[in-house]
Amino acid sequence: MIYLSELLTKWGMSESYALATSFFTCLGVIFFIAYSAHIIFKIYLSRQIGKYLEKKPNIWGRILLDSRLTLRMSHLIPAMIIFSTVPLLSSTNLYFHDPIIKLTQTVMLLYILIACLSVFNALVYIVENIHRRQKNKKKHSIKSYIQVVRILVYFLALIVGVSIIINKSPIALFTGLGAMAAVLLLAFKDSISGFVASVQLSSYDMVRVGDWIVLPKFGADGDVLEISLNTVKVQNFDKTITTLPTSALLSEGMVNWRGMEEAGGRRIKRSIYIDIKSVKFCDPPLLEKLKKLHYLKDYIAAKEKEITTHNAGEEIGKQDNIANGRHLTNLGLYRAYVEKYVSNHPKIHKEFTLLVRHLQPTELGLPLEIYIFTNDINWNSYENIQADIFEHLFPCLDVFDLKIYQR
């Protein structure tokens, strides 16, 4: 710069104009060198790395390529070159060189800060996508934690940016924020409560991405698509999407069907309402008809032997009133038939509860409840199994001389 100034002076230019011209010329050369370094890094390094990753296709290379990390890092180079070389121009005696150098360094520091945030976002993108593709972790969302980290980093970047502009230490700004703590807590109330809720959900493994959950208050009944800091997205079975606050999963009584999916059995709990007027003791013709049923042949034989022994022990012989002693009923045999039928059904889970029971009679009749579990949890299969069972049990009522109650 001094050499150029002396050369311009020899050519007849005044000393002040020569110094100013040489100053701005050297400043322009610095910017040109910085821009050239950026282009070289962008073309010969960033693109070469991209070509190398494209030639070797794998999931990690694809993530790195999509993040554009090297391209974002290339923006740091010109800013660092300008910031470090501009102070070399301070040897002039011009009245405006110090403000220009100071302004240039301030702008470059802000540019470096923004470029660092861009690199940080690329690294977050890489971490999030690598975590999402882990087989053992893909259902555990870390999006809420990433959002908290982003908020903290952006908040720190804002403090540092303000300190650069006003030329004050960031520590001095942090100490001044103590009085604003209450305001900040109020402003970020939803984010703080959402973060606490997401930590609890993750710590206790209460909900994961892909879980089927039900929250009647919000009309949510479907699969979890996304768990973020403040909201949870649920795709309902009608393909609509419900967005609800993260804290609602803790406060509103969520139902999570993941346990059913992991257990491998889905419950059928349905009742057949028997007309009580149709319940009766079995007469010999009805018993002979029911003995021909495969599931009841051995059962009736064992029960008749048990009842005969019992009545003989109680010294109850053949009397005119059938109410004396024990006798088989059409409802009892139907209940036994239902239990045998569902226990032998190939789609019923044998290791889970299998129960056929009476419930409290009501004005609608006597409920005969079938409480069983299918071994296929697929929704379509489950509905078909349930329909197949009851489509068989309803017509069988006529075989037992029973009638279903229907108002």
Side-chain angles (χ1 to χ4, degrees):
M1 185 180 64
I2 295 174
Y3 172 77
L4 180 60
S5 175
E6 291 176 351
L7 183 63
L8 292 174
T9 303
K10 288 180 182 179
W11 288 351
M13 188 178 289
S14 64
E15 184 177 352
S16 59
Y17 281 109
L19 283 172
T21 302
S22 61
F23 174 80
F24 285 109
T25 301
C26 291
L27 187 63
V29 170
I30 290 174
F31 275 89
F32 177 77
I33 292 173
Y35 181 75
S36 301
H38 169 67
I39 295 299
I40 291 172
F41 185 90
K42 180 179 177 180
I43 293 176
Y44 291 99
L45 289 178
S46 180
R47 291 186 180 178
Q48 291 299 323
I49 292 173
K51 289 179 180 179
Y52 174 77
L53 294 175
E54 288 177 352
K55 289 179 181 178
K56 295 183 175 294
N58 60 74
I59 191 64
W60 313 110
R62 185 73 257 174
I63 293 174
L64 184 61
L65 198 61
D66 291 342
S67 69
R68 300 169 62 116
L69 177 63
T70 54
L71 181 62
R72 299 185 186 201
M73 291 177 64
S74 66
H75 290 279
L76 288 169
I77 295 174
M80 294 174 69
I81 291 175
I82 294 172
F83 178 79
S84 59
T85 55
V86 163
L88 299 176
L89 305 179
S90 61
S91 58
T92 63
N93 295 321
L94 297 171
Y95 70 92
F96 55 77
H97 79 281
D98 281 340
I100 290 178
I101 291 173
K102 185 176 180 181
L103 177 62
T104 303
Q105 284 192 302
T106 301
V107 172
M108 288 303 105
L109 279 176
L110 292 174
Y111 187 88
I112 289 172
L113 182 63
I114 295 172
C116 287
L117 285 177
S118 179
V119 172
F120 167 75
N121 285 329
L123 294 174
V124 166
Y125 175 85
I126 292 172
V127 171
E128 187 175 6
N129 279 270
I130 288 176
H131 182 275
R132 187 182 301 156
R133 285 167 173 79
Q134 293 285 338
K135 289 184 178 180
N136 59 336
K137 296 180 180 179
K138 64 181 180 180
K139 291 186 177 293
H140 296 272
S141 177
I142 60 169
K143 189 165 185 176
S144 57
Y145 300 104
I146 288 176
Q147 288 180 325
V148 171
V149 173
R150 273 183 171 156
I151 290 174
L152 292 176
V153 170
Y154 287 164
F155 179 72
L156 292 174
L158 178 63
I159 296 298
V160 173
V162 172
S163 67
I164 291 172
I165 293 173
I166 65 177
N167 196 24
K168 295 288 185 181
S169 172
I171 299 176
L173 292 178
F174 276 115
T175 54
L177 288 175
M180 297 178 60
V183 178
L184 291 174
L185 288 174
L186 184 62
F188 293 100
K189 179 185 68 174
D190 293 336
S191 297
I192 293 172
S193 62
F195 172 66
V196 172
S198 64
V199 169
Q200 288 180 302
L201 291 173
S202 179
S203 299
Y204 296 107
D205 197 20
M206 297 173 66
V207 65
R208 305 174 189 167
V209 174
D211 283 357
W212 171 15
I213 65 171
V214 180
L215 278 91
K217 180 178 179 180
F218 294 90
D221 184 5
D223 299 327
V224 177
L225 291 181
E226 182 182 282
I227 303 173
S228 61
L229 182 61
N230 292 319
T231 59
V232 175
K233 289 184 179 179
V234 179
Q235 185 172 43
N236 302 310
F237 293 121
D238 59 0
K239 300 306 178 183
T240 59
I241 295 178
T242 300
T243 302
L244 52 144
T246 307
S247 57
L249 299 182
L250 294 174
S251 60
E252 299 299 333
M254 169 192 65
V255 177
N256 192 331
W257 287 78
R258 190 204 317 157
M260 177 271 294
E261 295 175 350
E262 292 177 346
R266 188 168 178 181
R267 187 184 68 177
I268 295 175
K269 183 184 179 184
R270 184 174 289 186
S271 296
I272 297 175
Y273 286 83
I274 306 295
D275 189 340
I276 300 177
K277 294 178 181 179
S278 65
V279 179
K280 64 179 182 179
F281 291 114
C282 293
D283 54 24
L286 180 58
L287 275 177
E288 290 301 318
K289 182 173 67 170
L290 296 180
K291 285 179 181 179
K292 296 177 182 179
L293 295 176
H294 173 69
Y295 290 132
L296 288 184
K297 183 178 179 181
D298 295 336
Y299 176 82
I300 292 176
K303 275 293 182 181
E304 282 185 325
K305 184 178 179 180
E306 177 187 331
I307 290 172
T308 302
T309 304
H310 175 271
N311 290 342
E314 295 290 333
E315 297 182 355
I316 300 173
K318 293 182 179 180
Q319 299 184 24
D320 294 335
N321 197 329
I322 197 173
N324 292 322
R326 290 176 57 188
H327 302 278
L328 291 172
T329 64
N330 59 348
L331 180 57
L333 291 179
Y334 181 70
R335 180 168 54 85
Y337 174 81
V338 173
E339 186 172 344
K340 292 284 185 180
Y341 176 77
V342 295
S343 63
N344 285 278
H345 197 289
K347 292 297 184 178
I348 298 303
H349 210 300
K350 305 302 186 293
E351 296 179 4
F352 290 175
T353 303
L354 192 152
L355 192 63
V356 180
R357 61 175 180 170
H358 294 172
L359 298 181
Q360 178 70 28
T362 68
E363 69 276 9
L364 301 178
L366 174 64
L368 184 68
E369 185 182 74
I370 293 90
Y371 192 103
I372 52 180
F373 289 81
T374 63
N375 55 19
D376 190 338
I377 62 173
N378 178 270
W379 192 4
N380 289 337
S381 301
Y382 167 79
E383 294 294 346
N384 288 330
I385 294 167
Q386 184 171 229
D388 177 71
I389 290 173
F390 283 89
E391 284 167 1
H392 176 81
L393 295 181
F394 279 120
C396 285
L397 287 164
D398 284 338
V399 178
F400 292 82
D401 289 349
L402 287 168
K403 295 188 180 299
I404 191 168
Y405 183 90
Q406 179 172 296
R407 180 157 53 185

